Amino acid sequence: MIDFELTRVGTPDAAIQIAAATPTAQQGATIRFIAGGTNLIDYMKLDVETPQHLVDINRIPDLAKVEKQPDGSLKIGALVRNSDLAQAPEVVAEYAVLSQALLSGASAQLRNKATTSGNLLQRTRCPYFRDLAYAECNKRTPGSGCAAIDGYHRNHAILGVSDHCIATHASDMDVALMVLDAVIHVQGTKGNRTIPIGEFYKLPGTTPHIENSLEPGDLITHVTLPALPEKTKQIYLKLRDRASYEFALASAAIVMQVQGGRMRHVRVAMGGVGTRPWRMPEAERALEGQAPEERVFRTAADAALKNARPNTDNAFKVPLAKLCMIRALTTVTNA
Amino acid sequence: MLKENATTIGTPVPRIDGPYKTTGIAKYSSDHNFPGLLHAVPVCATIAKGKITGIDTAAAEAMRGVVKIYHYGNAPHLYRPIPRDARVDEARPAFEDENVYYSGQYVAVVVAETMEQARAAARAVKVSYAVEKPDNRLDLSEGLQEDGLHEANKRGDVDAAFSTGTVKIDAIYITPVETHNPMELHASVATYDSGKFVLYETTQSIVNHRTAMAQMLGVPVENVQIIMKFLGSGFGGKLWVWQHSLLAASAARDLRRPVKLVTDRRSQFTNVGHRPRTQQRLRLAATAEGKLTCIQHDYSSETSILDNVGENCGESTPFLWSTPNLRVRSSMSRRNVGTPTAMRGPGAVPGLFALESAMDELAIRLKMDPVQLRLLNEPEKDESNGLPFSSRHMKECLTLGAEKFGWAKRNPVVGSMKKPDGTILGWGIAGASWGAGRIPTSANFAFRDDGSVRIGCATQDIGTGTYTVFSQMVHHITGISMGRIEVALGDTSLPPGPLSGGSRVTGSLFPAIQDAVNAATKQLLQIAVNGVHSPFKGAKPDDLAFSEGRVYRKADSSASGVTFEEILRSANLRSAIGEGSSVASQQDPKAKGLSLHSFGAQFVEVEWDPGIARLRVSRVVTVIDGGQIINLKAATNQVEGAIVMGLGMGLLEETVYDQRYGHPVNANYADYLVATHADCPPTIDVTFLDYPDKAMSEIGARGIGEIGLAGVAPAITAAVYHASGVRVRELPVRIEDLLQPSTRKHRA
Ligand SMILES: Cc1cc2nc3c(=O)[nH]c(=O)nc-3n(C[C@H](O)[C@H](O)[C@H](O)COP(=O)(O)OP(=O)(O)OC[C@H]3O[C@@H](n4cnc5c(N)ncnc54)[C@H](O)[C@@H]3O)c2cc1C
Ligand code: SF4
C-alpha cells in the first residue's frame, strides 16, 4: 500500500469537486471514493489500486436510505449497506430476487460493510489481476497481455470475453439489478445523469481496463428500481463449490409473471459467467409467451449459452450455467 | 488413591482455558509486545526459480521508520540444523545464497519501527533476478517408474499374486497440495538480552524449537527459551521451525531490540509447509469370495528442490487389512515449491484415500458390500511384523458404525436412493487408522502451602485441550479438585515434554505425571514425619498414605487426615516437589512385542442433486477405537473438526499453482476453499469405543487428534460414486468431475 491522503466530505458537491481531478475514473485512478472499503482497500493492500487520495463519502447525509418514490419505483441510496438492503421490507416484499442475491454474496461481515455503489463497482477476483508478480494483465496494465487465458481460469467468464481479457464480473447484486432494469443515478461535474444498468458496464474488448461509463468526478448517488408489474415470480439461484462465502460459478436471476399458463415479462440474467452481469435476451425471447415447460427452458438455456466462448478449465461452466438456468426457471414457475 | 466415582476421565469436562479465550485474556505469541519492539516484514521472491542478481534497498532504506534491511549480501550468519538432531523441514537458512527455489521464498527482510512502515518499505525493495523456468508439473508419474521406487515394506510375492488374482483393481489416485491455513498466522516475537534469547513462537513443539533455533543461531541451547502459551491451531504446519523465526531472532540479536514478525496469509501457502501432492498406484487382487491376495501400494510425493520431506502414504497399508502378499514402495518428485511438511495425519490420510478407495472399487467389482469386504479381511495380528495388536477393535467400529448409520438399508445400485425432491443419496464407507505410542515425557509437580498444586511440562496446548487433560489426570491421580490445579505448559524452562504432533501428547503424559506426583508425595510424607509441628512427627513415611488432598495414617480413614497445605505450613515450606518421567513405548516392557495403532470407521452420506450438479455431505457417522478417552468434549470436538476438515479435503481444498510461473494462484482465505459452517453436515455422530490400551499406560489413552480425518475423503468419494456413478480418483471432487469427464488442464 502506498501513502495516501484521506478527505472526509459532507456533501456530494465536495466529493465531486475533489474527485474531478483524477485523470480517469477507471484503472489507474489517482483519486477514489471510499464507501465500505471492502473491495478498494483489498486492492490497495495488493498495490493493484494505488490512489493517492481517498474521498470518504460515508458522511454524506441521505445516501443510506431506501425510499419508495411517488411513481412506485424504489430509490436505493449509494451507501445502503448490502445487509440492510437485503432486509429492507420493500425489497423483501417486491424485489425478492435482489434480497436473495445480496444474501448469497460474500459473508455476513462483508455484507455489513459493503454498499450499493461499492458493489456496483467491485472489481474482478481474477487471481492474475490481483497479483503484481504477473506482468501480464491488460486490465491492470493495459497492453501487457492476459495471464489468465493460458493460465488457471476455472472461475473465468465464458460470455463477453475477448482475446484481451476473460475476467468474470463477480457481483451477485448486479445480476439481480439487471433483471430489475435498475437505473444508476450519477452526479458529476456536468450535473446529474441516469444510466440504465444495461448500459453501465463495458465489455472488455481491447480495453479491459475501462469497465464502466463513469468519468472523473462521477459520484453514484443512488439506484432506482422501476415498479414491477403485478405478481411477479422471482428467484436468484447461485451455484458454487462450497455452501457459503464463495463467488458464483454460475448464478441465475429471474423475474417473470405466469398468466394463463404463459410466461410474461420474462427477465433473465446470469452471474459468474460473463465479463459483466449478463442479461440474456435470447433466453427471454425463447420463454416469453410460452408455457413453462422443461423443453422450453432447455431451449432458452441453449439459446442463452450459444455464444459462450469457454476456455479449458472453465468449459464446465457451459453445462453448469444451463442447469442453473433450467433449475431456476423450474423452481420459479412452480412457486 | 482415588474415590471410585470422583474421576473426570472420559467425561465431557469444559476446557479450563476456555474463559481465557472467550474473554480475550489469552495471550497468543504475536500478542506479546515489549518496549522498543521493532517489526519485521519479509520480501518474498516473485519468481519460483532463478538467481537474485541485485537487491536495491536505497529507496526502501530512505523510508520513514526503516531500521535495517537484511538480505543474502549483508545478513548475519545463520547455520543449518544438525541433521537428525533438531528437526527443521526447510533446512536452508533464508539468505544462505542468491538462489531462489520457490515462489515466495524470503529474499530480504525489512525491520522498521511499525508494521506499516516495514510493509511499505518491503514493497519498495527492488530485487532483480535471472529467471529460470520453474518445474511445477502436476504429473508425478516420473516417480512411479520401477527404477525410482524405494521399497518400504514387503511380504510374499505381489507380482505373482496379482497376475493370478481373480478380481483385481489397478488404479492411480491423486491428492493435491493442501495448505494447513490455521486461523492464527505463523509469527515470532524475539527478544535478546545479554546473550540470551527469549522467543515467543507459534509452535507445536517448543522443545524441538529451542534445539533447532540454538543450532541455527549458533548459540548454546541454554541460551534459548521458547514460550508458547496459546496456539490458534497448527495442523502440523507449526511442528517445525520455519525461516521467519530465524529472521526475527537474528534481527533481534543484531539490533539489540525486540523484533516481531507476523507472516501474512499468502506466506502460509509458500513459506511454512504444506501437504505435498501425491500420486499413488494401488494394485489389489482378491479371490472371488473377497479374500485379499495382494496389496501393492506405490506412490510418489512432491517435495522441494533442496529438502527430502515426502508424504509417507504407506503408513497404514502394511497392517490395515489381511493379505499374504504386500509391497509398499515410495519416491519423491522434486518441484519448485516451498518445503512440504506434516499435515494432520501425514501419510496415512492421503494414503488411506488411495487404499480405501481401491477397497471400495474392489468391493464393487466383487459385487460385495464394502463393509463386508473389510470384515472379511480383518487381520488377526499386525501382518507387517507378526506382532499382536495392543488393542484393535476395527470390526466393532465397522459393525457399530453400520448399525448407527442404518447401513443395512443401503441399496447398492448406483443412483438408486432417490429422495422425493429428486436428490440422490450416496452412502460410502472407509476404514481409518493412525499410529499410537508414547514419546519420552517429563514433568514436575508441586504441592503448595496455599492448598494448590502445580503440574509443569514443556509441552504445549495447541488449542486441543491439553491444559484440561493435564488437570484431569492430576485430579484423577490425586483427587484434588481441578479448581486447585495449576497447569504450566508452553515454556522450555519446564521439564521437557512431547511435541504436539502425531496425536502423541495425551497418550504420553500419564506415566510421567504419575511419576512426578509420586515423587512429590514421597517428599510430602517425608515432611509430614519430620516437621516439628506436624501431627505425624515421628511416624514412618510407610505408615502414612495420601489421598483426596490429605495425609493420614494408613490405619485410619482418609477423612481423619491432615491437608497437605497444613503439613507444608507446619514446616514453613512453600511446596513439596517431585520430578517424573516416562520412556517411549519402544522402551516400555508393557508395549514390547505389540503393535500400537488407533482404528476407526467412517460412514458418509452425500446428497447429490444432478439437476444442478450440487453435492453436499449430509451425514457422517464415525466410530473411533482410540483407547481410553480422557475428555469426551475435547475428543469429540477433535473428531468433529477432523471430519469437517476431511470434507474440505474431499470436496474443496487444493492449492493451485500457475504451471508457467510456479506461484500459488489461490493463496488467500477466500480463494483457497476450506469448509465453512454452512458446509458442515447437519449430522456428525461420533462414537468412541473407549477400550483402554494398557500398552500405552495404566489409564490406556492413545490420542485422537488425527484419526478423525483418516478415511473421510475415501468415504466421501465412495458415497459420490454410489450416488452419481462417477469414481473420482483425484481430490478434491469438483463439480466439473461430475458434470463431464475432467478436462481441467491444470490436472495431471
Ligand atoms: C472475500 C470476499 C468475498 C466476496 N464475495 C462476494 C460474493 O460472493 N458476491 C458478491 O457479489 N460480492 C462479493 N464480494 C464483493 C463485495 O460485494 C464488494 O467488496 C462490496 O460490495 C464492495 O462494496 P464497498 O462499499 O465495500 O466498496 P468500496 O471498496 O468502498 O468501493 C469499491 C469501488 O467503488 C467505488 N465507489 C464506491 N462508492 C462509490 C460511489 N458512490 N460513486 C462512485 N464510486 C464509488 C470506490 O471508489 C471503489 O473503486 C466479496 C468480497 C470479498 C472481499
Ligand atoms: S482475465 Fe483480465 S483481469 Fe485477468 S489477467 Fe487477463 S486481462 Fe487481467
Side-chain angles (χ1 to χ4, degrees):
Chain A
M1 202 187 289
I2 59 164
D3 285 355
F4 59 87
E5 197 178 325
L6 177 74
T7 309
R8 289 188 167 129
V9 295
T11 62
D13 289 340
I16 293 159
Q17 205 184 359
I18 298 172
T22 182
T24 172
Q26 307 295 324
Q27 177 65 21
T30 56
I31 307 168
R32 284 271 188 220
F33 300 126
I34 176 162
T38 59
N39 192 255
L40 182 60
I41 300 290
D42 185 17
Y43 280 119
M44 286 174 68
K45 287 201 274 190
L46 296 168
D47 286 337
V48 173
E49 287 272 8
T50 52
Q52 288 135 33
H53 196 153
L54 289 191
V55 182
D56 182 353
I57 57 174
N58 285 286
R59 295 181 183 195
I60 301 178
D62 299 331
L63 292 190
K65 285 193 197 151
V66 180
E67 291 167 290
K68 197 85 186 168
Q69 304 279 93
D71 66 353
S73 66
L74 191 71
K75 178 177 173 187
I76 302 165
L79 295 178
V80 178
R81 305 289 152 177
N82 286 179
S83 46
D84 293 335
L85 185 57
Q87 308 294 353
E90 301 86 347
V91 174
V92 174
E94 292 170 49
Y95 305 97
V97 63
L98 177 57
S99 181
Q100 292 171 21
L102 284 162
L103 292 176
S104 75
S107 64
Q109 294 91 330
L110 284 160
R111 294 194 297 269
N112 285 341
K113 275 308 263 181
T115 63
T116 313
S117 53
N119 198 321
L120 280 167
L121 295 173
Q122 68 169 281
R123 311 208 56 195
T124 183
R125 189 91 198 171
C126 170
Y128 300 101
F129 175 66
R130 292 176 66 79
D131 191 344
L132 263 55
Y134 302 95
E136 310 109 291
C137 173
N138 289 324
K139 194 184 269 301
R140 182 162 34 80
T141 313
S144 60
C146 170
I149 288 173
D150 293 319
Y152 180 69
H153 49 251
R154 177 173 185 262
N155 216 351
H156 283 68
I158 53 174
L159 290 164
V161 298
S162 75
D163 292 342
H164 301 266
C165 181
I166 57 170
T168 310
H169 192 283
S171 170
D172 292 299
M173 180 189 90
D174 304 347
V175 182
L177 293 184
M178 291 296 277
V179 291
L180 296 172
D181 294 315
V183 177
I184 297 167
H185 296 251
V186 176
Q187 191 176 330
T189 49
K190 292 177 214 124
N192 298 341
R193 66 186 197 280
T194 56
I195 309 166
I197 190 161
E199 291 163 26
F200 185 68
Y201 297 107
K202 308 269 185 222
L203 285 173
T206 55
T207 53
H209 59 289
I210 299 170
E211 296 175 355
N212 54 56
S213 46
L214 292 185
E215 299 289 338
D218 280 350
L219 176 77
I220 297 177
T221 53
H222 58 279
V223 171
T224 49
L225 305 180
L228 285 170
E230 291 278 277
K231 289 199 199 138
T232 56
K233 294 168 176 277
Q234 306 182 20
I235 191 172
Y236 189 74
L237 175 66
K238 179 171 176 177
L239 304 185
R240 47 184 158 181
D241 300 294
R242 66 179 169 188
S244 158
Y245 191 41
E246 190 188 359
F247 292 99
L249 291 169
S251 69
I254 295 172
V255 174
M256 69 162 74
Q257 292 170 303
V258 182
Q259 283 175 346
R262 302 276 153 187
M263 296 180 280
R264 307 275 178 212
H265 183 86
V266 182
R267 303 282 186 275
V268 182
M270 294 200 82
V273 289
T275 50
R276 60 183 189 191
W278 207 261
R279 182 82 177 256
M280 295 179 141
E282 309 86 347
E284 292 171 3
R285 275 197 297 275
L287 296 163
E288 189 72 40
Q290 301 292 315
E293 286 166 13
E294 195 187 326
R295 180 188 51 81
V296 179
F297 300 160
R298 213 167 278 286
T299 311
D302 287 341
L305 274 304
K306 206 178 82 206
N307 293 324
R309 252 181 70 189
N311 214 321
T312 327
D313 299 331
N314 62 357
F316 74 99
K317 280 191 174 185
V318 178
L320 187 71
K322 290 183 184 177
L323 292 181
C324 184
M325 191 194 294
I326 293 166
R327 172 62 61 83
L329 287 166
T330 311
T331 310
V332 79
T333 52
N334 280 336
Chain B
M1 279 199 267
L2 181 82
K3 277 206 220 120
E4 280 280 64
N5 59 3
T7 187
T8 66
I9 300 300
T11 66
V13 180
R15 292 188 187 193
I16 59 173
D17 54 332
Y20 293 95
K21 292 183 172 172
T22 49
T23 58
I25 295 171
K27 254 194 170 184
Y28 289 79
S29 296
S30 65
D31 292 337
H32 290 271
N33 290 310
F34 299 96
L37 182 80
L38 294 170
H39 295 263
V41 170
V43 179
C44 296
T46 53
I47 64 164
K49 186 181 180 193
K51 276 188 173 19
I52 302 168
T53 52
I55 300 187
D56 178 1
T57 57
E61 254 154 347
M63 288 169 75
R64 230 180 319 148
V66 174
V67 175
K68 184 110 187 198
I69 300 173
Y70 298 102
H71 47 78
Y72 84 92
N74 70 350
H77 193 79
L78 295 169
Y79 301 87
R80 291 186 175 225
I82 300 169
R84 281 173 294 279
D85 190 8
R87 180 155 175 193
V88 180
D89 281 349
E90 183 181 19
R92 173 188 179 273
F95 315 154
E96 198 178 64
D97 53 35
E98 68 275 43
N99 294 324
V100 175
Y101 299 97
Y102 60 89
S103 168
Q105 181 182 314
Y106 300 142
V107 293
V109 63
V110 176
V111 186
E113 298 289 342
T114 71
M115 213 238 297
E116 291 77 8
Q117 290 168 341
R119 257 200 195 190
R123 296 283 171 94
V125 173
K126 289 192 188 62
V127 186
S128 41
Y129 302 97
V131 190
E132 291 168 48
K133 171 113 183 68
D135 183 355
N136 289 89
R137 278 172 301 145
L138 293 166
D139 184 5
L140 307 181
S141 45
E142 90 247 31
L144 293 176
Q145 306 305 312
E146 284 294 318
D147 51 356
L149 288 162
H150 305 283
E151 197 163 274
N153 216 296
K154 180 182 180 335
R155 60 178 178 265
D157 182 344
V158 281
D159 292 323
F162 189 78
S163 64
T164 59
T166 314
V167 183
K168 305 185 212 186
I169 295 295
D170 185 350
I172 302 274
Y173 300 91
I174 291 169
T175 62
V177 169
E178 280 188 277
T179 299
H180 305 69
N181 259 323
M183 197 85 85
E184 180 202 35
L185 298 163
H186 287 245
S188 184
V189 180
T191 69
Y192 179 80
D193 187 20
S194 316
K196 301 217 174 193
F197 291 91
V198 181
L199 308 174
Y200 301 81
E201 301 279 9
T202 52
T203 174
Q204 296 175 237
S205 173
I206 54 173
V207 173
N208 178 74
H209 207 93
R210 175 175 60 175
T211 315
M213 288 299 283
Q215 291 176 4
M216 296 179 88
L217 290 162
V219 299
V221 73
E222 63 271 20
N223 288 12
V224 180
Q225 182 184 2
I226 309 291
I227 293 176
M228 195 298 287
K229 293 294 178 183
F230 297 98
L231 197 77
S233 277
F235 307 122
K238 292 171 180 167
L239 273 170
W240 319 119
V241 173
W242 297 103
Q243 295 300 321
H244 65 272
S245 295
L246 215 57
L247 298 184
S250 162
R253 173 169 60 186
D254 190 49
L255 300 169
R256 296 289 194 275
R257 283 174 70 178
V259 173
K260 180 188 287 196
L261 194 164
V262 181
T263 62
D264 64 6
R265 182 56 61 188
R266 192 178 205 282
S267 291
Q268 312 311 298
F269 291 79
T270 49
N271 307 77
V272 291
H274 59 269
R275 196 199 289 282
R277 186 178 177 86
T278 74
Q279 194 159 329
Q280 310 177 46
R281 182 181 184 198
L282 257 292
R283 289 208 301 171
L284 305 187
T287 64
E289 295 73 41
K291 272 291 213 189
L292 281 168
T293 55
C294 89
I295 299 179
Q296 179 186 339
H297 192 172
D298 291 341
Y299 61 91
S300 184
S301 61
E302 159 247 72
T303 192
S304 60
I305 300 298
L306 295 183
D307 299 292
N308 290 309
V309 184
E311 189 77 9
N312 175 23
C313 299
E315 200 263 357
S316 321
T317 314
F319 59 82
L320 192 59
W321 309 119
S322 175
T323 177
N325 304 292
L326 175 136
R327 186 167 67 203
V328 177
R329 296 183 298 181
S330 74
S331 74
M332 284 186 258
S333 306
R334 294 202 185 279
R335 296 290 185 268
N336 287 101
V337 291
T339 306
T341 197
M343 181 166 168
R344 206 173 194 178
V349 165
L352 282 167
F353 168 63
L355 177 62
E356 290 302 278
S357 291
M359 285 292 279
D360 195 63
E361 296 202 52
L362 182 67
I364 290 163
R365 202 157 288 178
L366 283 160
K367 298 196 174 34
M368 193 172 190
D369 182 272
V371 176
Q372 280 309 316
L373 176 67
R374 285 161 174 100
L375 289 172
L376 189 69
N377 288 288
E378 170 74 9
E380 293 194 341
K381 56 176 194 252
D382 180 340
E383 294 178 359
S384 72
N385 51 24
L387 302 177
F389 290 108
S390 59
S391 175
R392 170 171 167 136
H393 303 89
M394 180 60 117
K395 277 186 151 174
E396 190 174 339
C397 292
L398 290 163
T399 49
L400 182 64
E403 188 188 314
K404 293 189 135 229
F405 190 81
W407 187 259
K409 294 198 282 289
R410 180 179 187 260
N411 180 344
V413 177
V414 166
S416 61
M417 293 176 68
K418 273 212 176 76
K419 297 213 304 179
D421 65 2
T423 56
I424 300 171
L425 295 182
W427 286 6
I429 178 262
S433 139
W434 181 244
R438 282 197 336 252
I439 45 184
T441 301
S442 52
N444 60 21
F445 180 80
F447 293 105
R448 297 190 293 203
D449 68 332
D450 58 2
S452 70
V453 297
R454 179 183 196 260
I455 183 81
C457 176
T459 184
Q460 52 282 310
D461 188 328
I462 62 168
T464 51
T466 305
Y467 280 113
T468 313
V469 161
F470 264 92
S471 185
Q472 285 184 271
M473 286 183 175
V474 170
H475 171 251
H476 179 80
I477 296 166
T478 64
I480 293 161
S481 71
M482 285 176 63
R484 292 202 284 154
I485 301 167
E486 182 195 336
V487 183
L489 311 177
D491 184 336
T492 49
S493 51
L494 295 161
L499 56 86
S500 299
S503 305
R504 292 300 198 265
V505 173
T506 301
S508 299
L509 298 181
F510 192 75
I513 297 178
Q514 205 169 29
D515 197 32
V517 171
N518 287 345
T521 307
K522 215 164 153 191
Q523 196 177 70
L524 180 70
L525 299 185
Q526 201 64 51
I527 292 163
V529 300
N530 289 336
V532 198
H533 305 291
S534 166
F536 302 110
K537 184 168 167 46
K540 288 203 199 69
D542 280 355
D543 299 339
L544 302 181
F546 172 83
S547 103
E548 302 291 310
R550 287 171 185 273
V551 176
Y552 58 98
R553 284 179 208 278
K554 281 182 182 161
D556 303 334
S557 76
S558 66
S560 73
V562 177
T563 63
F564 66 84
E565 56 268 34
E566 281 176 75
I567 305 252
L568 290 170
R569 280 189 224 131
S570 72
N572 190 25
L573 289 171
R574 166 63 173 144
S575 52
I577 52 184
E579 300 254 341
S581 63
S582 64
V583 295
S585 289
Q586 290 89 320
Q587 272 83 53
D588 183 349
K590 286 212 185 87
K592 261 225 166 75
L594 294 172
S595 174
L596 280 65
H597 301 275
S598 285
F599 297 94
Q602 307 278 10
F603 291 78
V604 167
E605 175 183 278
V606 298
E607 278 184 14
W608 163 236
D609 184 344
I612 47 172
R614 179 177 283 170
L615 183 71
R616 298 284 185 255
V617 176
S618 47
R619 198 157 63 95
V620 178
V621 171
T622 299
V623 183
I624 301 288
D625 169 24
Q628 169 68 50
I629 294 308
I630 304 296
N631 185 327
L632 187 59
K633 208 174 210 160
T636 306
N637 174 257
Q638 277 300 303
V639 176
E640 286 174 352
I643 288 165
V644 175
M645 197 171 187
L647 190 158
M649 178 183 179
L651 303 183
L652 303 169
E653 291 191 45
E654 173 178 20
T655 303
V656 179
Y657 295 86
D658 183 278
Q659 293 296 291
R660 304 155 300 173
Y661 297 97
H663 306 308
V665 175
N666 57 344
N668 59 66
Y669 243 156
D671 296 322
Y672 180 88
L673 304 181
V674 297
T676 64
H677 277 98
D679 293 289
C680 292
T683 306
I684 302 181
D685 178 350
V686 178
T687 305
F688 296 103
L689 296 184
D690 251 359
Y691 292 109
D693 186 343
K694 295 291 182 182
M696 288 294 297
S697 69
E698 188 188 310
I699 205 165
R702 291 203 285 245
I704 37 70
E706 286 153 288
I707 178 91
L709 179 56
V712 178
I716 290 176
T717 51
V720 167
Y721 176 81
H722 180 224
S724 69
V726 179
R727 172 65 59 179
V728 180
R729 299 193 184 91
E730 178 174 356
L731 293 180
V733 180
R734 286 269 173 97
I735 288 174
E736 49 269 51
D737 298 328
L738 305 175
L739 269 176
Q740 58 189 33
S742 176
T743 52
R744 281 180 290 166
K745 75 160 179 256
H746 83 281
R747 303 230 125 178

